[in-house]
Amino acid sequence: MNILRKFRWAFFVFVAPSFLIYTYLVIFPIVSSMAYSLTKWNAISPAVFVGLNNYEALFKSKDFAIVMTNTWIGLGLALVIQVGFGLLISFLLYQTKAGYRAFRAMAFLPVVLAPAAVALMFVLIFNSDIGPVNKILESIGLSGLKRNWLSDKDIVFYTVLSPMIYQFIGLYVIVLLAGMQSIPPEILESSAIDGAGSFRTFTMIIVPMIWDIIFICVTLITAGSFKAFEHSYLMTWGGPGVRSAFLGVYMYLRTFIDANFGLGCAIGMVILFISLAVTMIFRAVVRRLDYQS
Amino acid sequence: MNPITAERKEASLGSFVFRDRIMTILRYAVLICSSLATIFPFLWIVLCAFRDNTQIYTMPFALPDPLILANFPKVFKSANLFNTLLNSFLYASVTVAVVIVLAAMVAFFLSKFLKKQGWLFTYFIAGILIPVQAILIPLFVTTRDLGLINTMQGILIVYIATNLSFAIFVLTGFMRKGVPDEMIEATIIDGCGPIRCFFMVVLPLSQTGIATVATFVFLGVWNEFLFALILLTDPAIRTLNLSIFMLRGQYSSDQGLMSAGVLVLITPAILIYIFFQEKVVQGLTAGAVKG
């Protein structure tokens, strides 16, 4: 607004405090992370420049390979299950009047909780002695399927993954539902008059019309799975070994348990790079979809 | 109308109605099952929080008999819960208050002083895309070197800095539409300076946007774990989240105690959700769709 532009000092009063705090504590640390990732450093003695050694060590390490495999499998399962259930439940909610608010409220409930709290709930549920999972298996005569969910190295990864997937389905239900509700009702009415059943309406009209929203969900799930920390760390400390660790946990373990701050920064940079790359790809895709329609 | 076609039409209509009814029943069946699955962990926690270990061991799915309340005083004592509960409230409320004032000032500038959003907006918003792991280690080192590690000021400044981007993003968008230029012009012409104008006109008109940001930031700080884990080791200033996690190490065999702890941890978040449902949903989905 022109009338405000004469107050030249306004920037210093309104913006400068936030600008300084934000630059010093959010932007500047990225640059120093990048610099530290090129050093060998324990955060006490001075950092020694080692070039790309940390990255080389990282890509050669067996643990990193396990952690990356975990991350990719986790991402794949999260995409299929969260988007799948998200679409199913939101489509059912979309058609529902009676009880709509109650169902919606329950679906979203886990999203508002601390991931730490949900992780602890699942620790109790998967307890091998008295947790309900084993008890239910026992009572329906499937004792053979009972497991030490939190320590068996072959399944512990899936145990840790389950609360991560469970907790955020509701977020995607609500986001996708909002997308569906923004479709003009005339389009759906005309398809109903044409005699399309709800399955056809769903696949032929609704899904194509909310592609951009589905892509938003895909990006969120992807970015989330590369910085995932709480569930894995609280349930199993990433173990045994790094069997149930994701990148975020791996970084914490190397940095604060092994005091290898240089390597930790390198892992942080990998997380940053992948997250930004995914966001860029997502934007490009959405822009292309926009041009087409 | 030809009676034969009329009859056929009725029959097919009947089958449609029948199919519709089956679909409705199926739809509700799926919705009810998924809702039950969603709240099952909550029910289990509530059930366990009021029982002792013997009851849970012998009759895992039975209702509490007798009702055990001892878990709550025990968990408050063993985890220093009351103290950390206050800490969490303090961190969340101070962060909300400071972030809202700082972000509203920036949003006022971005939405009303500039012709276009420009690079400054992009610069502030970029923070939303940055994963915490990319800044975690330098933040740890910086707070340590400033002597702020293990202090309330240290964790507060980190929470404030990391929540600014989202707040600025939401409030700038809100003020651009929700605060009419004419009202600001009128107050300036009446002789008010921009600072008075900010407090008398802009802030009151932005209440809805501020409420969305406040619920989001409050829940975000209340639920935060990683910064608390690395910046706070002194038990006296820990967050509730962190002290419940400590239970996991020390008392993991006492199911009743752990459940009571989890219940204490989630109750405030659930209350906020119940009372400000629309705000919470708006805040969290706005945070989601920011990309």
Side-chain angles (χ1 to χ4, degrees), chain A residues 5-281:
Chain A
R5 218 157 286 140
K6 66 179 183 206
F7 299 102
R8 290 282 165 84
W9 48 266
F11 176 86
F12 297 96
V13 173
F14 289 112
V15 181
S18 306
F19 189 86
L20 291 179
I21 295 175
Y22 174 73
T23 305
Y24 186 51
L25 293 173
V26 178
I27 299 299
F28 183 63
I30 301 175
V31 182
S32 43
S33 254
M34 224 174 274
Y36 286 137
S37 77
L38 305 175
T39 65
K40 186 168 167 44
W41 186 43
N42 61 9
I44 298 167
S45 45
V48 182
F49 181 79
V50 292
L52 292 172
N53 276 8
N54 285 325
Y55 292 94
E56 210 188 318
L58 194 62
F59 292 124
K60 275 187 187 155
S61 112
K62 258 196 191 126
D63 280 356
F64 183 70
I66 296 176
V67 168
M68 280 313 273
T69 318
N70 282 350
T71 307
W72 291 120
I73 297 177
L75 173 61
L77 286 173
L79 283 175
V80 172
I81 298 173
Q82 287 181 329
V83 174
F85 268 96
L87 279 171
L88 174 71
I89 304 294
S90 60
F91 183 57
L92 296 181
L93 270 177
Y94 178 66
Q95 301 167 293
T96 301
K97 282 208 181 72
Y100 168 83
R101 285 182 62 90
F103 286 128
R104 206 183 79 134
M106 279 190 274
F108 199 70
L109 180 62
V111 182
V112 307
L113 299 187
V118 174
L120 284 183
M121 285 181 179
F122 276 67
V123 167
L124 298 173
I125 286 175
F126 280 114
N127 182 299
S128 50
D129 297 325
I130 49 177
V133 172
N134 272 353
K135 288 288 179 191
I136 289 174
L137 287 174
E138 201 176 275
S139 65
I140 57 174
L142 291 172
S143 294
L145 290 176
K146 282 167 65 178
R147 290 283 183 284
N148 289 322
W149 302 102
L150 289 163
S151 53
D152 185 330
K153 69 176 170 44
D154 294 325
I155 35 176
V156 65
F157 166 68
Y158 298 97
T159 312
V160 166
L161 191 62
S162 57
M164 299 172 63
I165 292 182
Y166 155 85
Q167 182 169 10
F168 294 108
I169 289 178
L171 179 63
Y172 306 111
V173 170
I174 301 296
V175 171
L176 291 167
L177 181 63
M180 290 180 192
Q181 283 164 341
S182 67
I183 299 174
E186 304 87 61
I187 296 180
L188 294 169
E189 273 161 32
S190 65
S191 93
I193 291 167
D194 291 347
S198 52
F199 182 73
R200 267 185 75 87
T201 313
F202 179 70
T203 51
M204 306 300 285
I205 296 174
I206 291 183
V207 170
M209 289 206 67
I210 56 167
W211 258 131
D212 52 341
I213 311 280
I214 296 175
F215 266 103
I216 289 176
C217 295
V218 170
T219 336
L220 286 171
I221 294 169
T222 312
S225 72
F226 283 98
K227 57 183 182 190
F229 179 78
E230 284 97 334
H231 299 95
S232 161
Y233 185 71
L234 264 90
M235 292 178 79
T236 60
W237 290 274
V242 291
R243 278 302 174 132
S244 60
F246 294 88
L247 270 179
V249 181
Y250 186 57
M251 179 211 176
Y252 177 84
L253 295 174
R254 292 293 84 87
T255 312
F256 293 98
I257 307 298
D258 300 358
N260 196 341
F261 282 66
L263 186 65
C265 284
I267 304 171
M269 286 300 106
V270 172
I271 296 173
L272 177 69
F273 176 78
I274 299 177
S275 309
L276 292 185
V278 169
T279 312
M280 302 291 172
I281 294 170

Side-chain angles (χ1 to χ4, degrees), chain B residues 75-206:
Chain B
V75 78
F76 267 93
K77 216 169 151 194
S78 55
N80 199 7
L81 221 56
F82 190 67
N83 217 338
T84 54
L85 187 77
L86 285 182
N87 288 342
S88 279
F89 262 112
L90 181 78
Y91 297 145
S93 344
V94 173
T95 307
V96 166
V98 177
V99 163
I100 284 189
V101 173
L102 286 178
M105 293 200 297
V106 176
F108 178 41
F109 186 85
L110 289 172
S111 61
K112 301 297 175 191
F113 285 73
L114 302 179
K115 273 192 201 130
K116 280 190 301 178
Q117 307 178 341
W119 66 271
L120 195 58
F121 180 75
T122 316
Y123 180 74
F124 274 118
I125 298 317
I128 302 177
L129 300 174
I130 296 166
V132 282
Q133 279 92 353
I135 59 173
L136 190 67
I137 294 171
L139 274 182
F140 170 76
V141 175
T142 309
T143 44
R144 192 190 62 182
D145 294 348
L146 292 173
L148 289 175
I149 201 152
N150 241 332
T151 63
M152 291 187 158
Q153 300 92 301
I155 191 98
L156 276 172
I157 189 98
V158 168
Y159 283 154
I160 290 166
T162 48
N163 277 295
L164 274 177
S165 288
F166 170 79
I168 291 173
F169 170 70
V170 173
L171 287 177
T172 306
F174 186 86
M175 284 182 193
R176 196 169 290 135
K177 288 185 200 133
V179 180
D181 289 3
E182 299 77 36
M183 287 196 65
I184 294 172
E185 264 162 30
T187 35
I188 298 287
I189 290 167
D190 283 351
C192 275
I195 295 179
R196 259 185 77 112
C197 171
F198 173 72
F199 284 105
M200 307 295 286
V201 178
V202 179
L203 274 189
L205 282 176
S206 311

